[in-house]
Amino acid sequence: MSIGSLRKIVDLIESTAVQYPQVKQFGSDFESEMQNYLTNNEKWFSIFVAIPQETVMAVKENVNTITVRVFCHGRIQNNRNNIVDIVSDSQLILSDLYRELNELNEDFELEGESNIVPVNNSLLDYLAGNYYELTFIVNPVNKCEIPKLEDYE
């Protein structure tokens, strides 16, 4: 599979992330829409691939870059007794996900390192966890994969 589009990157992250038994929910959208996705009272971890509004999808002569923000959230108990566990477990999940993506034999590289950033009471919805930004360096597709009008005639 040639990784040259945002759709393929999200699919790749999803197919890798759902292999973790702790991850029971996966979604993707603009970061501003994450609250519509993560407002249920589930007790398990969720992975959300956010398309940051300020993201840059750079087109260069020989490569393209696509940046996404990957969140891993867990539900905070009312007494907050599980906060350290959520932050620790979500950090481990994101670290493993990064390593697995980096080891895949696909048509991309991950640019540099990714710093994991903790989040507390994310979306004011009793969620905690971590996120990082991943920048994929991808080979450009030689010809656009979206069919042109003349292809339908």
Side-chain angles (χ1 to χ4, degrees):
M1 165 171 64
S2 174
I3 304 294
S5 70
L6 177 62
R7 169 81 268 155
K8 290 181 179 180
I9 287 172
V10 170
D11 289 346
L12 178 67
I13 294 171
E14 179 179 16
S15 67
T16 305
V18 298
Q19 295 177 33
Y20 297 102
Q22 307 92 325
V23 176
K24 303 288 188 201
Q25 190 175 17
F26 181 89
S28 61
D29 202 331
F30 283 99
E31 189 171 339
S32 60
E33 299 300 317
M34 188 166 47
Q35 63 189 3
N36 298 325
Y37 170 78
L38 296 172
T39 56
N40 299 325
N41 285 322
E42 289 88 357
K43 305 273 188 251
W44 49 74
F45 285 95
S46 60
I47 299 281
F48 188 86
V49 177
I51 308 162
Q53 294 286 135
E54 70 280 358
T55 193
V56 174
M57 295 184 192
V59 178
K60 301 175 183 172
E61 186 174 340
N62 296 319
V63 296
N64 296 340
T65 61
I66 301 172
T67 301
V68 295
R69 193 169 287 156
V70 182
F71 287 83
C72 183
H73 285 111
R75 179 78 44 200
I76 302 170
Q77 295 172 352
N78 288 339
N79 59 11
R80 297 182 62 88
N81 282 346
N82 66 338
I83 194 74
V84 172
D85 292 331
I86 291 172
V87 174
S88 177
D89 291 351
S90 62
Q91 179 265 324
L92 291 172
I93 291 169
L94 289 177
S95 294
D96 285 350
L97 180 61
Y98 179 87
R99 280 191 276 285
E100 288 210 26
L101 290 172
N102 216 17
E103 291 173 3
L104 288 175
N105 244 349
E106 299 289 341
D107 296 332
F108 71 87
E109 290 179 36
L110 291 175
E111 183 176 73
E113 59 185 39
S114 293
N115 296 317
I116 296 177
V117 180
V119 291
N120 177 33
N121 202 15
S122 181
L123 309 173
L124 299 177
D125 200 25
Y126 298 102
L127 296 171
N130 289 284
Y131 77 88
Y132 53 39
E133 287 189 357
L134 297 177
T135 298
F136 290 80
I137 302 170
V138 298
N139 295 323
V141 179
N142 291 335
K143 183 179 178 206
C144 184
E145 292 183 5
I146 298 175
K148 296 180 182 173
L149 185 58
E150 63 213 35
D151 293 338
Y152 290 105
E153 297 174 353

